[in-house]
Amino acid sequence: MPATRPQAPPALPPDWHALPGEEVLAHLGSSGQGLAGDEAARRLSLHGPNRLTPPPRVSALRRFLRQFANALIAILIPAALVMALLGEYADAAVVLAVVLINALIGHVQEGKAEQALDAIRDMLSPQAAVLRAGERQTVPAESLVPGDVVVLAAGDKVPADLRLLEAKGLEVQESALTGESVASPKASHPAAPSAALGDRHSVAFSGTLVTRGAGLGVVAATGDATELGRIGRLLAGTDNGETPLMAQVGSFGRWLTAAILVLGGLTFAVGVLFRGYTATEMFQAAVGLAVAAIPEGLPAILTVTLAIGVTRMARRKAIIRHMPTVETLGAVSIICTDKTGTLTRNEMTVRTALAGTAMWRAEGVGYAPEGALALAEGDGSPALLADLARAGLLCNDAQLVKVDGDWTVQGDPVDGALLAFAGKAGLPLADGGTGHGRLDAVPFESDRAFMATLNRPPGGASTAYVKGAPEAILARAALEEHPDGLRPLDHAAWTARVERLAAEGQRVLAVAYKPMDAAEVLEVRDLDGGLVLLGLVGLIDPPREEARRAVGQCAAAGIAVKMITGDHGRTAKAIAESVGIRGGVVTGAELDALDDDGLARAARDNAVFARATPEHKIRLVDALRRDGGIIAMTGDGVNDAPALKAADVGVAMGAKGTEVAKEAADMVLADDNFATIVHAVEEGRTVFDNLRKALTYVLPTSFGQAGTIVLAVLAGTLLPVTPLQVLWVNLVTAVTLSLTIAFDPADPGLMARPPRPPRVPLLSGFLVWRIGFVTGLMVAGCALVFFQALADGRPVEQARTLVVNALVLFEAAYLFNCRSLLASAFRRDTLAGNRLTLAAVALVLALQLAFTYAPPLQAVFGTMGTPRGTGWRWPGWRWCCSCWWRGRRWWCGGGDDPYPHGSTRGKVLGGSPEDGVLTWNAEDAEGRRGHRGTYKNRDERDGR
């Protein structure tokens, strides 16, 4: 008879956090004594180890080969093969090296998702204390199974999702999951069925940290079934998507490849069928055409430009993990930011103190016990304020420690904030400054919502100091301190004050005391009544000062900022308004009730999203992306990781962020400074501008070389340049001239532009016209040089040498023109603003002298020197310059006439040439209208 397969206990319902503990135990077939050893082993065979299942891994070889699907790489490989066929093995090796470098970079970067999942797996606790048949044991966390009873103590990492059975002053730090700044109090009674993740007080989630108290819980979920595992699955199933630059470059590369193949085939056919060339001659011509038209240096320029952007950002504390992210930053139109640790300091601070009839405002941030206490309202009594601060100092279990010049807290953040407040009130941070020794204490428990200590000064009477939730303290208080002495508690007035502070987004604590005479022991029942209220303290996680400035800079740059947080709506709105984020507030529960269209409207029309889960964050990012935005998502917690990966740019905090968030992000802020994002956007815009300049430079120079060959074939004449000479031009200009564009600095007014629309083509209409115009000018000039040289009786070798020198000189001159796509090239910052450009031009001139006159290079490339004084003079130079100058000014709206051209490219709005003032408007390189300028005189108007 076959063995009976072990049966697992029935699965818990989704709202198991709302079930009584006894019912959960019964459902899991367990008890308060835990499982027997053999039953635990049986369940381990059913459920498997308590660890996250790694996804199937792509082999290193497959990941490497996948990099060659890039369109630009596909262009380079045939170019390298052609070079090898021509015997230019060194040049072919250089091109293949560019291919391999690009492939290796992509190969390394593609492993980031696997690393993010590995970081989540490492968050599981390696050991756990459990009850097995009533006996406490320490077992590997991987061996936990549903039904095990786990013992929790302060400092423990929760090893699985637990339904709490007992909670004694238990608080768990869940900010990595929920985004809340302070530890969450836990209790054993059921939570509401609809409770959000951060409100499930009956559950301790896997991977979170116990900061205070003790507890007992039954394992309800392990491994992939935990909340941490669910986030891991979201992260594994989230696609990074393609960056705007890679999408545009891919499309452009495919178009360019097809165009070159078609042009090469047509040229071959025309030459053989209509011009009498042999197939061998036309094959050489077609090879020369392909080599000339393929911009071999473009991928290298792309890589170098992005790498320079990465380096510049690293100097500004922004670490780029994925190179194309550099360019994507320049197109960002919306920043979705977390609250805790991103816009705020992730440090609790007392902001407001109410004592007697006065309200005091505390200055300073963080845990430094430094700063003033300024009277904001009422008649202040420094004595009452000191009593309030002393009570918070004595009823406290934390310590402040100064490490490397910065104050940090050891213990609960709220207690740390009260210690800093006491320091600001002038109290020494030891025994309240008056030698009040502690005799006993009642620890905080969420059921009673307060903590108390029993203290006695030398030779004095005992006093109980109490702090906790205002409703708990006010219910037990009978009197209040007043500047005139004790008086009956005005419950309604204090409740109104609590509501006022809460409305400002502050977390409110009430502080009280009770005389205890000679008591040595403090019991909970001693505090059931008779308390004397000292006052209230309001705490906040303060916003970063630099975040306020950064939000303002984003607004100036046309970038919207939206807050997505797991915190409460009232707190989120207060922090958002404090940093300048304005707009409506929507909660996670409200988002759940919306369909896709409603969600899209809510995402577009609101600025603050509270009580948001990881699923909400992903849905919001997707909705904003579908609406046409380029989204940057910031965060620091585990709960942020899936959305960081889903966004166009994921930005993690480096100092206080979790490793999971860092591994899922495209960029890590080393200084946790929201303002660094603005600097990164500026660098991203600079990178895109430089890439456009590079395209505007490389394409007409490549097309000009190819056009020269096509024109010769169509005319049925000798080729003005040989394929080997084209290779020389490409090698010289790609290695020296074109790469210098990558080092250009940012253009003036870069951050005053609106974000670049994602559908703006890589080459606008103006740039396409410009590329065509320069290509035609180059072809005409080279043809004129070649045919004039032949007409003068020069040898073909010498005529071709002149053509190559003309090509290189033209490309060197055009390089300066490309340093500014709209402004005149005859400016100091254009001519001398990039020293590498000057050095590169000097190097090219030296190489051309060697190319023309060095015998070894003459033998290799078939060149011939020219007599001194005649080599650099060729008819038509002034004609070419004049065509370029007039054609460019016609397009941009200039001309010899003082009024700009009457087309849409430029239009006079007012003024006249007679009064010397002319106001105009024009489109920029991306077709945007509304740019205006005023020329005060004709020379300034003409750019002279």
Side-chain angles (χ1 to χ4, degrees), residues 563-656:
M563 178 193 290
I564 307 177
T565 178
D567 214 337
H568 294 279
R570 188 159 53 184
T571 303
K573 182 178 181 181
I575 293 296
E577 291 179 346
S578 70
V579 297
I581 300 175
R582 301 284 188 268
V585 181
V586 181
T587 65
E590 292 169 336
L591 291 176
D592 287 334
L594 298 175
D595 58 15
D596 289 343
D597 291 338
L599 180 72
R601 287 192 298 271
R604 181 175 57 250
D605 299 339
N606 295 279
V608 180
F609 303 89
R611 306 309 274 170
T613 65
E615 289 90 347
H616 292 143
K617 294 182 180 184
I618 292 178
R619 288 186 67 200
L620 288 167
V621 168
D622 288 343
L624 291 169
R625 291 184 71 183
R626 287 195 303 271
D627 200 38
I630 299 296
I631 312 303
M633 174 74 194
T634 72
D636 59 356
V638 177
N639 60 326
D640 298 320
L644 290 176
K645 190 179 177 187
D648 296 288
V649 181
V651 184
M653 302 297 114
K656 295 183 179 179

Side-chain angles (χ1 to χ4, degrees), residues 439 454-457 460-464 514-520:
L439 304 176
L454 183 65
N455 300 80
R456 179 192 294 166
S462 300
T463 302
K514 183 178 181 179
M516 297 294 290
D517 299 327
E520 301 280 344

Side-chain angles (χ1 to χ4, degrees), residues 6 20 176 223 250 258 295 306 311 367 407 416 426 485 504 511 549 560 581 630 697 716 799 914 920:
L306 293 176
T311 303
Y367 297 115
W407 288 91
E504 296 176 3
V511 183
R549 295 190 296 270
I581 300 175
I630 299 296
Y697 175 77
E914 288 77 22
W920 60 282

Side-chain angles (χ1 to χ4, degrees), residues 269-541:
V270 169
V272 172
L273 298 178
F274 301 105
R275 294 303 181 192
Y277 290 100
T278 66
T280 301
E281 290 173 329
M282 283 314 304
F283 176 76
Q284 292 178 341
V287 168
L289 171 63
V291 172
I294 293 174
E296 292 93 342
L298 187 56
I301 294 171
L302 175 64
T303 302
V304 170
T305 304
L306 293 176
I308 291 170
V310 169
T311 303
R312 288 173 174 171
M313 289 184 185
R315 294 195 192 110
R316 303 179 104 172
K317 307 298 183 182
I319 310 303
I320 299 298
R321 302 185 63 255
H322 189 201
M323 272 216 299
T325 301
V326 177
E327 179 276 332
T328 310
L329 277 163
V332 165
S333 57
I334 300 173
I335 298 176
C336 296
T337 176
D338 188 27
K339 176 183 72 69
T340 304
T342 307
L343 293 174
T344 67
R345 298 174 58 89
N346 200 16
E347 298 173 340
M348 296 303 293
T349 299
V350 173
R351 177 61 69 228
T352 307
L354 296 175
T357 60
M359 175 185 288
W360 304 78
R361 295 289 187 184
E363 298 177 357
V365 294
Y367 297 115
E370 303 160 356
L373 297 174
L375 181 63
E377 293 180 14
D379 298 326
S381 171
L384 290 182
L385 180 66
D387 289 342
L388 176 65
R390 183 176 294 106
L393 172 60
L394 295 173
C395 190
N396 202 300
D397 287 329
Q399 285 185 325
L400 293 182
V401 180
K402 197 170 187 178
V403 179
D404 297 330
D406 294 325
W407 288 91
T408 60
V409 60
Q410 293 181 350
D412 186 80
V414 171
D415 282 355
L418 292 175
L419 292 179
F421 172 62
K424 294 173 184 178
L427 301 178
L429 302 184
D431 295 334
T434 56
H436 288 68
R438 178 180 292 191
L439 304 176
D440 200 0
V442 173
F444 177 89
E445 287 193 16
S446 57
D447 290 341
R448 54 177 174 257
F450 67 81
M451 171 191 174
T453 60
L454 183 65
N455 300 80
R456 179 192 294 166
S462 300
T463 302
Y465 292 98
V466 191
K467 75 170 188 290
E471 58 271 18
I473 303 301
L474 293 177
R476 292 169 170 80
L479 302 172
E480 65 177 79
E481 286 282 4
H482 191 270
D484 299 331
L486 293 178
R487 70 179 188 182
L489 178 71
D490 188 344
H491 193 283
W494 285 103
T495 301
R497 293 173 184 174
V498 170
E499 292 174 351
R500 175 183 173 183
L501 295 183
E504 296 176 3
Q506 300 186 43
R507 182 181 181 184
V508 186
L509 290 180
V511 183
Y513 73 94
K514 183 178 181 179
M516 297 294 290
D517 299 327
E520 301 280 344
V521 178
L522 184 63
E523 301 286 349
V524 174
R525 61 176 179 269
D526 296 332
L527 305 172
D528 286 342
L531 300 186
V532 179
L533 183 68
L534 284 169
L536 304 174
V537 291
L539 302 100
I540 63 168
D541 180 6

